[in-house]
């Protein structure tokens, strides 16, 4: 495969930096962060430390989050009191539509902004905001605690940014100001769409990051154990050592990994890897992507939630009881640098 000709200098995507963003687009506006979990706490604190006017909204029953936010000096509102020029939906994706319908929709007014950190609910029409508001996304490419830590160190976590509805004519400027407020423009912010962010996110976690990696580890473990090798030895080989390889890839790309491993690993890996990841697998990946694009996966997952997650619960239980988990629990006790 070949990459398309560059549209923006060395990068193919549009990337915004510190100077492209102006906090002024949020000055004098009231920002309401709904949720104080992974992303919520980091956004709220970073925006406040950037000099913006921030409140947090939480369900009354969630006492721990409520206490944490108050301890951090945030003003906390009940969901019934949600109000602001910009409302950021930073609660789990599956509960957002219900909270939106009950507590947010009637609070939106002409020129309001509603912000997401993931495109699922907008892209699959689980939330349909009125036409007179801006709908934007600022999605950090890292967990909330890292977003906070980098900010405190004067750095930032890269983020994706998107505009789905630009009623005010300033939606992109507002999204950039928010990205600057949480520190993301210090690292760089990539422009995308709700569609691209949602579909690539689901594809990545299904075939590569979560689904793909978990099956690859379990299957290679099973093969070694079925051939009579000790499960403890297999565990270290197929799971534990994966971190070293992923670290090399993360820090410098796949070729960086090839450079670091032995000559035998290079030759064996380059000739055998292709026999595992065959054209059939690529065809299946395309099928999975089409299920994401058509909305078939989203529908399945939404219905699964409505039904009380019967399939999800069964599968999760099976994962928890896989032999590699049992061996792994023991083996990790031998590793002093793991808590
Ligand atoms: P989270 O699970 O940490 O959210 C917890 C918060 O949600 C708590 O404040 C809790 O009080 C609130 N909450 C839980 N159930 C609720 C309910 N029924 N009604 C109202 N509030 C409820 O969420 P998160 O991981 O920060 O994700 C928030 C958004 O950010 C999601 O759209 C997610 O896709 C996106 N995102 C997450 C990450 C990440 O690393 N966690 C990264 C990028 C984007
Ligand atoms: Mg993701």
């Amino acid at each position: 495969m070949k990459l398309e000709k560059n549209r923006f200098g060395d990068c193919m995507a549009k990337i915004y930096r510190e100077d492209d963003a102006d906090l002024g687009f949020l000055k004098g506006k009231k920002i309401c962060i709904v949720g104080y979990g992974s992303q919520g706490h980091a956004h709220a604190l970073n925006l406040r430390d950037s000099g913006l006017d921030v409140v947090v909204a939480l369900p009354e029953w969630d006492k721990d989050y409520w206490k944490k936010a108050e301890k951090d000096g945030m003003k906390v509102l009940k969901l019934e009191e949600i109000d602001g020029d910009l409302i950021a939906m930073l609660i789990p994706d599956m509960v957002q539509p219900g909270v939106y319908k009950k507590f947010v929709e009637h609070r939106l007014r002409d020129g309001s902004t509603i912000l997401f950190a993931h495109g699922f609910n907008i892209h699959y029409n689980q939330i349909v905001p009125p036409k007179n508001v801006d709908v934007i996304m600022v999605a950090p490419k890292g967990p909330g605690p890292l977003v906070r830590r980098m900010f405190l160190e004067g750095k930032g976590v890269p983020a994706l940014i998107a505009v789905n509805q630009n009623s005010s004519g300033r939606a992109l400027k507002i999204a950039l100001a928010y990205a600057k407020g949480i520190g993301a423009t210090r690292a760089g912010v990539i422009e995308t769409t709700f569609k691209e962010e949602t579909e690539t996110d689901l594809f990545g976690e299904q075939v590569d990051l979560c689904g793909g990696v978990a099956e690859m580890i379990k299957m290679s473990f099973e093969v070694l154990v079925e051939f009579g090798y000790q499960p403890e030895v297999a565990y270290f080989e197929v799971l534990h050592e994966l971190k070293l390889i992923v670290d090399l890839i993360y820090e410098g790309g796949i070729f960086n990994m090839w450079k670091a491993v032995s000559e035998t690993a290079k030759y064996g890996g380059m000739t055998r890897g292709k026999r595992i990841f065959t054209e059939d697998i690529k065809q299946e990946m395309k099928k999975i992507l089409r299920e994401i694009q058509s909305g078939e996966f989203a529908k399945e997952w939404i219905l699964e939630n409505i039904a009380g997650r019967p399939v999800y619960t069964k599968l999760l239980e099976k994962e928890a009881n896989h032999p590699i988990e049992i061996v792994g629990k023991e083996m990790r006790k031998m590793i002093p640098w793991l808590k």
Side-chain angles (χ1 to χ4, degrees):
M1 76 173 277
K2 276 216 184 88
L3 292 176
E4 256 177 65
K5 208 160 171 268
N6 289 358
R7 287 185 289 155
F8 303 103
D10 286 340
C11 287
M12 270 152 278
K14 175 86 186 122
I15 300 181
Y16 297 96
R17 314 271 175 191
E18 204 69 344
D19 287 346
D20 301 316
D22 179 359
L23 277 179
F25 285 92
L26 284 175
K27 283 266 159 67
K29 295 201 171 181
K30 193 166 159 195
I31 300 170
C32 181
I33 306 284
V34 185
Y36 205 68
S38 177
Q39 292 297 325
H41 94 281
H43 293 212
L45 294 172
N46 292 3
L47 292 166
R48 183 192 69 187
D49 292 352
S50 294
L52 298 170
D53 180 9
V54 185
V55 295
V56 170
L58 288 173
E60 270 182 288
W61 49 262
D62 222 343
K63 295 276 178 256
D64 288 350
Y65 283 112
W66 193 285
K67 274 189 217 141
K68 188 171 174 233
E70 282 188 335
K71 205 172 137 249
D72 291 342
M74 300 299 318
K75 181 177 175 200
V76 188
L77 308 175
K78 298 182 213 162
L79 296 178
E80 289 79 359
E81 300 168 329
I82 285 178
D83 192 26
D85 302 298
L86 184 152
I87 298 175
M89 298 292 284
L90 300 180
I91 56 178
D93 296 295
M94 287 301 119
V95 305
Q96 285 180 15
V99 170
Y100 173 82
K101 263 278 161 231
K102 209 160 162 208
F103 303 110
V104 178
E105 192 168 43
H106 66 280
R107 294 289 186 170
L108 298 171
R109 24 179 205 259
D110 256 349
S112 292
T113 304
I114 180 160
L115 178 142
F116 296 86
H118 177 35
F120 189 96
N121 285 311
I122 292 292
H123 182 58
Y124 292 117
N125 298 310
Q126 297 306 292
I127 292 178
V128 185
K131 287 287 164 234
N132 60 343
V133 307
D134 289 347
V135 182
I136 61 177
M137 171 166 52
V138 177
K141 295 308 280 178
L146 187 66
V147 172
R148 180 59 181 159
R149 182 156 68 81
M150 284 296 115
F151 182 87
L152 291 173
E153 289 178 17
K155 301 173 196 148
V157 171
L160 298 180
I161 195 171
V163 172
N164 191 65
Q165 217 168 268
N166 182 12
S167 155
S168 70
R170 289 181 304 183
L172 180 64
K173 299 281 186 199
I174 294 169
L176 283 168
Y178 188 99
K180 188 171 192 165
I182 64 169
T185 48
R186 296 172 183 172
V189 169
I190 303 173
E191 188 168 5
T192 183
T193 59
F194 275 61
K195 172 180 160 60
E196 184 177 68
E197 187 274 340
T198 305
E199 293 176 352
T200 54
D201 182 79
L202 293 173
F203 180 78
E205 65 200 21
Q206 291 177 19
V207 311
D208 173 29
L209 307 175
C210 310
V213 167
E215 292 308 316
M216 183 178 69
I217 296 173
K218 285 185 293 175
M219 199 178 272
S220 38
F221 176 83
E222 287 165 12
V223 168
L224 286 175
V225 173
E226 281 166 24
F227 269 58
Y229 298 99
Q230 299 185 80
E232 292 79 4
V233 174
Y235 173 84
F236 273 99
E237 190 51 47
V238 305
L239 187 150
H240 178 84
E241 281 188 33
L242 188 61
K243 171 160 168 53
L244 308 174
I245 297 300
V246 170
D247 283 350
L248 288 165
I249 295 173
Y250 183 77
E251 283 155 18
I254 296 172
F255 198 72
N256 185 54
M257 180 276 290
W258 287 130
K259 280 193 297 186
V261 300
S262 76
E263 293 299 290
T264 312
K266 276 192 196 66
Y267 180 74
M270 289 188 298
T271 55
R272 268 54 181 179
K274 287 181 172 52
R275 286 170 51 187
I276 300 299
F277 285 88
T278 55
E279 189 56 33
D280 280 1
I281 290 192
K282 193 167 186 181
Q283 289 310 319
E284 197 62 30
M285 285 184 179
K286 290 181 180 177
K287 216 168 128 190
I288 289 172
L289 182 57
R290 284 189 204 104
E291 290 166 11
I292 292 168
Q293 290 178 325
S294 69
E296 190 182 333
F297 171 77
K299 183 172 139 203
E300 180 183 321
W301 175 223
I302 292 161
L303 291 176
E304 172 72 8
N305 276 281
I306 292 170
R309 300 190 175 184
V311 177
Y312 165 98
T313 309
K314 267 246 144 30
L315 292 174
L316 208 56
E317 192 189 318
K318 212 169 152 208
E319 288 292 301
N321 293 315
H322 190 279
I324 200 166
E325 291 306 313
I326 302 175
V327 181
K329 214 169 266 160
E330 287 310 308
M331 291 303 97
R332 285 189 290 273
K333 289 183 189 160
M334 290 169 61
I335 304 171
W337 60 90
L338 294 182
K339 276 186 233 102

